[in-house]
């Protein structure tokens, strides 16, 4: 996607890289994990102060006014540095609030621009259920809405101040905003593969605000897929970079193992897969309303990242499973993000539904 990055976005990329690189040293990440911290509050505050977390918010609320490509630039850097932050959920959620009704959500978005608000996204259903058939129900009482039901695997649940929730209404599924600590909200947090936290969200007549029109859920899912693809590309790039350095220094039989043809082939295959993922991600960013492009970007992101982190950890041998060495973190992140909002199989099923309408349902 580098050909989409102009001078301004390149400066944004460099800024995000500089801040994240200095804050994601192996020693610091190990310290955070040893303390049981799933995210880096100090790093979040620094990124917010620099404006990185609000790149896609309008200037009226203190943002930079960029589009979805800017979010992808930041998220790719996050994956590259495995920076423990609730970035993709907050950036996408706040973008959707600004796009749908800036006036209504302005106070919240102004707080988001300073880093004081972190919004997560609750879309996943039990047993890999359809994202567009939510189990949570929304009931209207005049202009007011209340939500009841359960959501699973809500990302960054332990740090969220607000939640975007998909829910079923009498006229189809819609998106709603709730306060993460509102009356009727019950959280159960669990640790996940990437060392972060996800939550089971139980709602009992929780006051909610409708976000956007009936088509908003499709937009939210589409942009979430693109965001996750960007993180996955960054994870794969970071793992490959680290491994390339390792094989150029690690010697066996009196020569660097990177000179062995079998290893060269493995890393070359990984590089080609990442290039393909970058290409389809760029396609999705140039056509942000194209559902098929977003699904393809998601599928390639998952596939290339999982394949790359497996190869890279394998090439490292025994040190690949040493938690004091950073390659294991790329492996864990690759696994976790590749299973967020579905997996490669659900992407293929969704894509077949786009290409052959009605086939999947039949």
């Amino acid at each position: 996607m580098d050909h989409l990055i102009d001078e301004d976005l390149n400066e944004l990329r460099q800024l995000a890289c500089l801040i994240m690189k200095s804050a994601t040293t192996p020693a610091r990440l190990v310290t955070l994990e040893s303390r049981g911290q799933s995210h880096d509050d100090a790093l979040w505050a620094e990124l917010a102060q620099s404006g990185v977390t609000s790149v896609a918010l309008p200037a009226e609320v203190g943002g930079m006014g960029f589009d979805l490509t800017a979010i992808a630039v930041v998220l790719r850097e996050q994956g590259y540095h495995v920076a423990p932050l609730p970035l993709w959920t907050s950036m996408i959620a706040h973008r959707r609030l600004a796009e749908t009704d800036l006036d209504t959500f302005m106070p919240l978005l102004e707080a988001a621009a300073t880093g004081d608000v972190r919004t997560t996204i609750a879309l996943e259903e039990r047993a890999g259920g359809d994202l567009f058939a939510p189990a949570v129900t929304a009931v209207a009482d005049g202009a007011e809405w209340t939500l009841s039901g359960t959501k699973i695997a809500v990302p960054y649940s332990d740090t969220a101040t607000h939640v975007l929730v998909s829910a079923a209404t009498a006229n189809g599924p819609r998106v709603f905003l709730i306060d993460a600590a509102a009356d009727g909200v019950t959280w159960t947090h669990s640790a996940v593969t990437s060392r972060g936290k996800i939550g089971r969200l139980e709602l009992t007549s929780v006051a909610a605000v409708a976000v956007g029109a009936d088509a908003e859920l499709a937009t939210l899912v589409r942009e979430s897929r693109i965001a996750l693809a960007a993180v996955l590309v960054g994870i794969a790039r970071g793992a490959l970079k680290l491994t390339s350095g390792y094989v150029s220094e690690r010697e066996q039989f009196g020569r660097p193992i990177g000179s062995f043809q079998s290893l060269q082939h493995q890393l070359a295959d990984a590089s080609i897969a990442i290039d393909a993922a970058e290409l389809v991600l760029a396609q999705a960013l140039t056509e942000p309303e194209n559902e098929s492009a977003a699904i393809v970007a998601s599928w390639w992101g998952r596939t290339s990242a999982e394949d790359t982190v497996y190869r890279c950890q394998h090439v490292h041998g025994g040190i690949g499973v040493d938690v004091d060495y950073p390659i294991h973190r790329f492996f864990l992140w690759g696994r976790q993000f590749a299973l967020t909002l579905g997996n490669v199989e659900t992407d293929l099923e969704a894509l077949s539904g786009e290409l052959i309408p009605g086939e999947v349902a039949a």
Side-chain angles (χ1 to χ4, degrees), residues 240 243 246-248 250 252 256-270 311 314-316:
L240 186 61
T243 305
Y246 174 78
V247 300
S248 67
R250 172 76 165 88
Q252 196 163 11
I257 62 174
S259 63
F260 300 158
Q261 194 174 61
S262 60
L263 295 188
Q264 292 175 354
H265 287 174
Q266 286 200 56
L267 299 186
D269 286 344
R311 290 178 186 270
H314 177 71
V315 166
H316 275 82

Side-chain angles (χ1 to χ4, degrees), residues 38-40 44 75 78 83-91 118-121 153-163 180 187 189-190 192 194-199 228 231 333 336-337 340:
S38 61
H39 53 276
D40 190 332
W44 176 268
L75 293 178
Q78 181 192 16
L85 300 163
L87 269 177
W88 81 264
T89 48
S90 279
M91 296 182 83
R118 305 178 188 186
T119 303
T120 190
I121 299 173
V154 182
Y156 311 115
S157 55
D158 59 329
T159 185
T161 60
H162 295 77
V163 191
W187 288 101
H189 306 293
S190 303
V192 292
S194 63
R195 309 287 175 82
K197 296 285 181 65
I198 60 172
L228 286 166
V231 179
W333 273 50
Q336 180 64 40
F337 278 89
T340 301

Side-chain angles (χ1 to χ4, degrees), residues 116-151:
D116 294 331
V117 165
R118 305 178 188 186
T119 303
T120 190
I121 299 173
L123 294 175
E124 299 211 39
E125 303 294 328
R126 289 193 182 102
D130 185 354
L131 297 179
F132 296 97
V136 170
T137 57
V139 177
D141 182 8
E144 305 295 325
W145 291 89
T146 57
L147 306 185
S148 297
T150 302
K151 287 288 186 181

Side-chain angles (χ1 to χ4, degrees), residues 16 29 57 61 90 105 115 174 257 259 287 295 307 332 351 356:
L29 292 175
L57 292 180
V61 297
S90 279
F105 300 115
R174 293 190 64 178
I257 62 174
S259 63
E287 299 181 58
I295 298 170
D307 178 71
L332 296 179
L351 184 61
I356 313 174

Side-chain angles (χ1 to χ4, degrees), residues 160-226:
T161 60
H162 295 77
V163 191
L164 283 188
V165 182
S166 59
T169 75
N171 297 316
R174 293 190 64 178
V175 176
F176 297 86
L177 175 70
I178 65 169
D179 187 317
D183 290 340
V185 172
T186 302
W187 288 101
T188 304
H189 306 293
S190 303
V192 292
T193 300
S194 63
R195 309 287 175 82
K197 296 285 181 65
I198 60 172
R200 175 187 173 92
L201 174 61
E202 296 183 28
L203 305 172
T204 305
S205 299
V206 176
V209 178
V211 177
D214 294 346
E216 179 58 25
L217 178 56
T219 303
L220 178 60
V221 170
R222 186 168 60 248
E223 294 193 356
S224 294
R225 282 175 170 148
I226 294 172

Side-chain angles (χ1 to χ4, degrees), residues 318-354:
I319 200 173
V321 294
D322 186 343
V323 295
D324 291 327
Y325 191 81
I327 193 61
H328 83 282
R329 192 168 288 105
F330 287 96
F331 178 83
L332 296 179
W333 273 50
R335 289 290 294 157
Q336 180 64 40
F337 278 89
L339 296 173
T340 301
L341 292 190
N343 53 36
V344 292
E345 286 79 13
T346 55
D347 280 343
L348 289 177
E349 184 176 355
L351 184 61
S352 67
E354 284 294 308

